[in-house]
Amino acid sequence: MIEYRRDAADIYARSFAIIRAEADLSRIPADLEKLAVRVAHACGMPDVIDDLVFSPGAGAAGRAALAAGAPVLCDCRMVEMGITRSRLPANNDVICTLNDPAVPELARQIDNTRSAAAVDLWRPRLAGAVVAIGNAPTALFRLLELLDAGAPRPALILGFPVGFVGAAESKAALAEDSRGVPFVVVRGRRGGSAMVGAAVNALATERE
Amino acid sequence: MIEYRRDAADIYARSFAIIRAEADLSRIPADLEKLAVRVAHACGMPDVIDDLVFSPGAGAAGRAALAAGAPVLCDCRMVEMGITRSRLPANNDVICTLNDPAVPELARQIDNTRSAAAVDLWRPRLAGAVVAIGNAPTALFRLLELLDAGAPRPALILGFPVGFVGAAESKAALAEDSRGVPFVVVRGRRGGSAMVGAAVNALATERE
């Protein structure tokens, strides 16, 4: 018999307590405290909290949108799977258009990635939505282009694309000018589906 | 018009080149080089390669198993979604038992998490399988318990559970005594579905 903790609620509680003991949360507003803790939990790195950049009231905006039934628009299916449906307050739709059959041809037409083309298909659901980008920098860049071209504004952009080409740049572009849309990003190369799913899960309910 | 790279193949190639320029790969055997690079790519952190621990021939064992049609056993649906089916060499089954209806009751019976109980359901497919754990430390601990109790041996264990309670410990337990099973882990708190999915994707084909 190996000795280890086997109670899920106990494991969660201890994890969050460790993060709160180790992380510097002094800079994080109350409406993003649980989001910051959950994002750190998702990646095992309390210092990721130091890299969160956000607009004032972003957490409140996301909570209100979800409570009002806003859909969650995801850039990949891993993000979709990272969102705990039972936490969502209004049986909210969780939408990923990446595998829509129109995407490959649309990507060719706009000369961009499939992840970017999938964002074009968000348009009918974009107004007031919670956007959760956890993979593709091109999805975030494309969303900014669509907003510049007059697309409806989402309620919140959670910008967590990850990687070495465009990730830091796309998040910096959003943080510098979010086109009036509330946002949370983790600056730099870090990010990912688990982190942005955790961010949505934190905004979905106060329950830890 | 925002200026950014929009060609997926170009983005991948540049990303891998950045990782190879920044990371120390001198310690990584040839059969794990692409795995190491892809794991770093998945999380945006070249230094994660410094934390990889592995048994000799683990990469070769995983490649051979996949080529022979081994199933991939995943501890959560995010891992399942992180595996690119088109890269798999033998139309391999990708299996996640976490949402099996038997799991909640089984978890109560064994007094463990649902993630651990789901591992019990792997048993009929465990012999020669590639195990991909990217979320739950209890899944990895439970697998070690089952192996100690005589369960069939998988071909490879990719141990990438993440977090603050049990993640580092479960991976250390595997690395210290892998019960004769080839393994790759990232030691410490870091890990995740994206990393372990990337590890499977690297072993699935030589194509980058």
Side-chain angles (χ1 to χ4, degrees):
Chain A
M1 188 95 166
I2 307 170
E3 191 145 345
Y4 61 97
R5 297 191 183 279
R6 299 157 194 255
D7 179 76
D10 170 57
I11 293 168
Y12 268 103
R14 284 175 188 271
S15 299
F16 294 149
I18 291 169
I19 295 163
R20 290 192 166 98
E22 291 188 15
D24 178 8
L25 287 155
S26 60
R27 196 180 59 84
I28 304 298
D31 71 333
L32 289 176
E33 198 265 358
K34 287 180 176 172
L35 180 149
V37 169
R38 271 201 179 252
V39 167
H41 179 248
C43 63
M45 299 180 288
D47 71 284
V48 80
I49 292 172
D50 301 336
D51 288 340
L52 291 178
V53 184
F54 40 82
S55 60
R63 279 195 181 80
L66 291 175
V72 183
L73 304 176
C74 310
D75 73 325
C76 68
R77 296 219 54 210
M78 285 187 79
V79 173
E80 196 187 328
M81 291 297 147
I83 295 171
T84 307
R85 297 303 196 286
S86 60
R87 295 179 62 89
L88 292 171
N91 197 23
N92 309 246
D93 288 338
V94 179
I95 297 168
C96 174
T97 54
L98 185 58
N99 295 321
D100 188 289
V103 162
E105 176 55 29
L106 184 56
R108 276 186 289 273
Q109 281 173 22
I110 66 172
D111 197 20
N112 209 322
T113 65
R114 291 190 302 116
S115 294
V119 170
D120 288 34
L121 301 184
W122 291 353
R123 198 171 179 125
R125 302 299 301 273
L126 199 53
V130 171
V131 169
I133 297 177
N135 182 42
T138 52
L140 181 49
F141 274 129
R142 183 65 180 169
L143 177 59
L144 294 179
E145 288 181 336
L146 295 183
L147 292 173
D148 287 342
R153 284 186 186 173
L156 175 67
I157 301 173
L158 298 167
F160 289 72
V162 59
F164 298 88
V165 174
E169 297 85 344
S170 62
K171 293 179 284 191
L174 174 66
E176 193 179 302
D177 175 6
S178 75
R179 283 68 173 170
V181 180
F183 71 92
V184 182
V185 304
V186 57
R187 74 178 150 218
R189 291 169 168 180
R190 291 191 290 184
S193 303
M195 285 192 218
V196 80
V200 173
N201 290 337
L203 297 176
T205 166
E206 292 305 305
R207 176 165 46 85
E208 295 215 300
Chain B
M1 189 94 165
I2 308 170
E3 191 144 345
Y4 61 97
R5 297 192 183 279
R6 299 157 193 254
D7 180 76
D10 170 57
I11 293 168
Y12 267 102
R14 284 175 188 270
S15 299
F16 294 148
I18 291 169
I19 295 162
R20 289 192 166 97
E22 292 188 13
D24 177 7
L25 287 155
S26 60
R27 196 179 60 85
I28 304 297
D31 70 334
L32 289 176
E33 198 266 357
K34 286 180 176 172
L35 180 149
V37 169
R38 273 202 176 250
V39 167
H41 179 249
C43 63
M45 300 181 286
D47 72 283
V48 80
I49 293 172
D50 301 335
D51 289 338
L52 291 178
V53 184
F54 40 82
S55 59
R63 278 193 182 80
L66 291 175
V72 184
L73 303 176
C74 309
D75 73 325
C76 68
R77 296 216 57 208
M78 287 187 78
V79 173
E80 195 186 330
M81 292 296 148
I83 295 171
T84 306
R85 296 303 197 286
S86 61
R87 295 178 63 88
L88 292 171
N91 195 24
N92 308 247
D93 288 337
V94 179
I95 296 168
C96 174
T97 53
L98 184 57
N99 295 321
D100 188 289
V103 162
E105 176 55 30
L106 185 56
R108 275 186 290 272
Q109 280 171 22
I110 65 172
D111 197 20
N112 209 321
T113 65
R114 291 191 301 116
S115 294
V119 170
D120 288 32
L121 301 183
W122 291 354
R123 197 168 181 128
R125 304 299 301 276
L126 199 53
V130 171
V131 169
I133 296 177
N135 181 42
T138 53
L140 181 49
F141 275 130
R142 182 67 180 169
L143 177 60
L144 294 179
E145 288 181 336
L146 295 183
L147 292 173
D148 287 341
R153 284 186 187 175
L156 175 66
I157 301 173
L158 298 167
F160 289 71
V162 59
F164 298 88
V165 174
E169 295 86 344
S170 63
K171 293 179 284 191
L174 174 66
E176 194 178 302
D177 175 7
S178 75
R179 282 69 173 171
V181 180
F183 71 92
V184 182
V185 304
V186 56
R187 74 178 149 218
R189 292 170 168 180
R190 291 191 289 185
S193 302
M195 286 192 217
V196 79
V200 173
N201 291 337
L203 297 176
T205 168
E206 292 305 303
R207 176 166 48 86
E208 295 214 302

